[in-house]
Amino acid sequence: MATDEPTVSIGDVSHSTFAIGSHAHAESHHGTGGPHDAAAQELLKAVRELRADLTRVRADERTGELDAELADTEDEITRTGTVGTGRLQRLRQLLTDSEALVSLIASAGAVAGLLGM
């Protein structure tokens, strides 16, 4: 064994992102506090309130679809700390399709407002 070989020591790598190799690429999705996090947290709160309010109205296909998308949004924000534009567009469309619901439930109006509607 040659004595001039470099040594590598890796300690605790939890909550870390790294890549090794000449063409390696590392990307972090830990939700580590960026400019969108405050808005995402506000949206998360509003999404949770709307999901709770949806349990108080008669369920139909549209409310079920909206609740499923809200659940996915809640999961995405909880996991990543942010929400993708595609999901935001789907939420906007579902809320537009449920305009009567938005005017009836205050929390739906809050989510719609946070989505720029």
Side-chain angles (χ1 to χ4, degrees), residues 41-116:
Q41 292 306 311
E42 187 176 1
L43 178 59
L44 177 61
K45 180 181 176 201
V47 162
R48 287 176 172 162
E49 288 175 10
L50 177 52
R51 288 194 72 210
D53 286 345
L54 282 177
T55 65
R56 297 176 188 96
V57 298
R58 181 175 298 160
D60 63 15
E61 185 178 325
R62 285 188 302 179
T63 59
E65 195 175 352
L66 177 58
D67 184 58
E69 192 62 38
L70 290 167
D72 290 345
T73 302
E74 183 177 353
D75 179 61
E76 184 175 339
I77 296 171
T78 302
R79 283 183 301 101
T80 68
T82 190
V83 62
T85 56
R87 185 165 314 281
L88 293 175
Q89 289 172 344
R90 285 190 298 280
L91 271 177
R92 282 186 193 104
Q93 186 59 50
L94 287 169
L95 287 170
T96 298
D97 293 347
S98 302
E99 194 170 320
L101 179 67
V102 172
S103 64
L104 179 65
I105 300 177
S107 60
V111 171
L114 290 168
L115 294 173

Side-chain angles (χ1 to χ4, degrees), residues 5-25:
E5 290 184 20
T7 59
V8 175
S9 175
I10 299 176
D12 181 12
V13 295
S14 59
H15 306 293
S16 300
T17 304
F18 59 91
I20 300 171
S22 61
H23 299 294
H25 172 78

